Amino acid sequence: MNYKSIRRSLLYVPGNSEKMITKSLGLIADSIILDLEDAVSLTEKNLARANVKNSIAKFKEKNKEVIVRINDIKTKTGILDLESIVEELPNAIIVPKADEESLHIADILLKSTEKRYDIEDFEISIIPLLETSYSIVHAYNILTSSDRISAVQFGAEDLTKELGIKRTNEGKEIEYARNVIAQAGNACKIDILDTPYTDIDDNDGLSKDILNAKNIGFTGKTCIHPSQIEIVNDIFTPKLEDVENARQLIHSFDEAVKNGKGVCMFEGKMIDNPIADRARKLVEKADQISSL
Ligand code: COA
Ligand code: MG
């Protein structure tokens, strides 16, 4: 894959707003998602495509991951989106209403455009947006239908609209879908990105919502407003004391292994391989973040 950054926060920016695109260049989101889909009205699609095309290089100059959400790839709008921006080499494309067929189409179109522009070595990755009931019950098959998938994103607004149920800040109604996506994404070893929290004035609710997702396996969250970025980054960044504790745990365990043991005690608890591996993962993530 062509990206090295960690994806804790990913900010959606409407592609038709030059002002917001310019502002997002200076924001601390790990990734920027330039939107050509729902944030852009039909009459502004051409303007949005031109803005996005002209701005991708600016994010790349700043070493910031830039992702483009295109329209449904089974429509002319979606194909025009992809064709108009692909030459600029965004790091990834978000495919909305994803299913197996849309990912096959996106994969083939990316392959052929990469060939056309001689950019085969770069490989633009795909992030399927799971936001239909079909996609929840077929999540694993969908996430394995292209080998350029680097992450999955959950879309709760479309899913609850399709189900005809109320969307709440607490999110009880989306627990099952989130769990399915977390398991399918983890089975595929890709980033697992949560739906945005749309109440931009409710930071306490946002924090709870991020924790709900993080505690079941999500690794990052999409944002819609600059004020959400720091909260998301903070929650997805391992705490210093946890990292220090993990380092000590790993040290104790490694010493025990050197002495021919398979388990040891640390702070009153039994430590074995999976627990030590979890600590190693935490330290690895913290090191990766501090090297950003
Ligand atoms: N990206 C970049 N800049 C943004 C932004 C975003 N997503 N959302 C707001 N800003 C900027 C505003 O332009 C404003 O800039 P300024 O202070 O330089 O004038 C500043 O942040 C504060 O914005 P605020 O006035 O609080 O919000 P708003 O009323 O301008 O916009 C929304 C509110 C919800 C319309 C806007 O945040 C937005 O469009 N978000 C993205 C929506 C989207 O992409 N949806 C589809 C994916 S789910
Ligand atoms: Mg949608």
Side-chain angles (χ1 to χ4, degrees):
M1 290 300 159
N2 64 58
Y3 81 98
K4 297 231 167 26
S5 74
I6 195 144
R7 291 169 172 153
R8 294 167 299 176
S9 56
L10 303 91
L11 178 70
Y12 268 103
V13 184
N16 56 333
S17 171
E18 221 180 316
K19 173 176 179 280
M20 287 196 204
I21 294 177
T22 303
K23 190 172 179 89
S24 71
L25 279 162
L27 297 173
I28 56 163
D30 291 329
S31 311
I32 296 296
I33 304 171
L34 301 174
D35 193 19
L36 295 174
E37 200 216 14
D38 285 350
V40 179
S41 68
L42 277 179
T43 53
E44 302 243 295
K45 295 287 185 202
N46 281 333
L47 167 71
R49 281 185 199 120
N51 283 345
V52 169
K53 184 174 181 191
N54 292 334
S55 59
I56 290 173
K58 295 179 194 158
F59 291 93
K60 302 192 77 172
E61 270 164 32
K62 288 187 164 270
N63 232 353
K64 194 177 262 305
E65 186 181 51
V66 55
I67 300 169
V68 180
R69 180 168 75 169
I70 59 171
N71 284 274
D72 186 345
I73 194 75
K74 294 179 196 167
T75 67
K76 185 176 169 185
T77 318
I79 289 174
L80 287 175
D81 288 344
L82 191 71
E83 282 182 346
S84 60
I85 53 97
V86 75
E87 196 183 355
E88 296 301 317
L89 305 186
N91 297 95
I93 300 289
I94 294 186
V95 174
K97 305 266 163 51
D99 59 16
E100 295 88 337
E101 190 190 357
S102 59
L103 295 179
H104 282 144
I105 298 171
D107 193 280
I108 288 166
L109 285 177
L110 282 173
K111 253 189 208 114
S112 76
T113 40
E114 283 168 351
K115 220 181 234 327
R116 177 161 16 128
Y117 295 118
D118 284 329
I119 51 176
E120 284 163 84
D121 293 342
F122 185 78
E123 191 167 276
I124 298 165
S125 83
I126 295 179
I127 303 178
L129 177 49
L130 302 193
E131 52 182 344
T132 60
S133 292
Y134 176 90
S135 70
I136 302 303
V137 296
H138 293 87
Y140 181 75
N141 284 348
I142 292 173
L143 297 185
T144 47
S145 50
S146 157
D147 53 17
R148 61 170 81 215
I149 293 173
S150 64
V152 56
Q153 194 213 310
F154 175 38
E157 304 309 321
D158 273 282
L159 180 70
T160 48
K161 183 189 77 183
E162 186 190 331
L163 277 165
I165 60 175
K166 202 169 161 213
R167 180 79 178 94
T168 69
N169 283 359
E170 293 69 36
K172 197 115 193 85
E173 69 285 357
I174 55 171
E175 270 177 13
Y176 175 74
R178 266 184 175 156
N179 274 297
V180 169
I181 291 174
Q183 296 303 326
N186 190 43
C188 298
K189 302 268 175 287
I190 55 177
D191 296 329
I192 307 165
L193 310 173
D194 198 28
T195 193
Y197 189 74
T198 54
D199 192 341
I200 55 176
D201 295 321
D202 176 17
N203 287 345
D204 287 344
L206 170 65
S207 294
K208 284 185 196 142
D209 192 53
I210 302 165
L211 282 170
N212 282 343
K214 179 177 178 264
N215 289 341
I216 58 163
F218 277 74
T219 58
K221 188 169 178 76
T222 53
C223 304
I224 51 165
H225 192 276
S227 64
Q228 299 182 322
I229 300 169
E230 206 174 327
I231 301 170
V232 171
N233 281 350
D234 185 50
I235 294 179
F236 282 109
T237 301
K239 303 280 160 284
L240 275 178
E241 65 264 32
D242 293 340
V243 178
E244 188 45 41
N245 188 269
R247 288 191 202 280
Q248 287 170 14
L249 183 154
I250 294 164
H251 179 73
S252 300
F253 182 73
D254 287 348
E255 284 299 307
V257 170
K258 263 191 225 155
N259 294 324
K261 295 185 192 148
V263 294
C264 71
M265 290 300 288
F266 179 74
E267 295 186 344
K269 289 193 183 134
M270 189 273 300
I271 308 299
D272 61 2
N273 227 343
I275 298 173
D277 280 351
R278 183 161 57 197
R280 287 186 219 284
K281 253 175 122 173
L282 188 86
V283 170
E284 201 180 298
K285 186 166 187 182
D287 287 346
Q288 204 183 346
I289 291 169
S290 60
S291 71
L292 289 180

